[in-house]
Amino acid sequence: MAKLQLEDLLNRKMQEGFQSKDVYVKGLGGELTVIHQPLPTVLRIMDEIKQDATLSTVMDAMVQLIYACVPLFKSKELQDKYECAEPTDVVYKVLNDRVEDISALGESILAMYGITNPVDEIKK
């Protein structure tokens, strides 16, 4: 195993930069760009699941996570078009309240952080 040097860590930081990935959403028939957010932001959102792991709590946390990571959903024009009372409502409305799409998109985002089974890992 090679011992890391300062230059290795500096080069790694420069390579990371802006992280994003495109995630296919079945119900939309296309991809949405997901932007990597700081880990504390994601953990704050996911902490809600630890308190009360009901299906509605999990879905609300996933919707908040999706809203935080998908820039398109922050469009005021999109929120107005879908007549959203709250900004995060746009996620439910654009995804047609499809649990499958919300779960798949949320899990794809969590995979960026190495979380593969969100409810089980967060409840530990």
Side-chain angles (χ1 to χ4, degrees), residues 39-78:
L39 182 59
T41 300
V42 173
L43 294 177
R44 262 192 307 283
I45 293 169
M46 299 315 293
D47 272 347
E48 293 179 28
I49 293 174
K50 192 169 192 164
Q51 303 302 320
D52 179 23
T54 64
L55 185 56
S56 63
T57 303
V58 172
M59 280 296 105
D60 285 343
M62 288 293 195
V63 165
Q64 288 180 35
L65 179 66
I66 292 166
Y67 181 79
C69 296
V70 179
L72 283 177
F73 289 140
K74 293 181 181 161
S75 163
K76 182 73 171 133
E77 182 181 356
L78 187 64

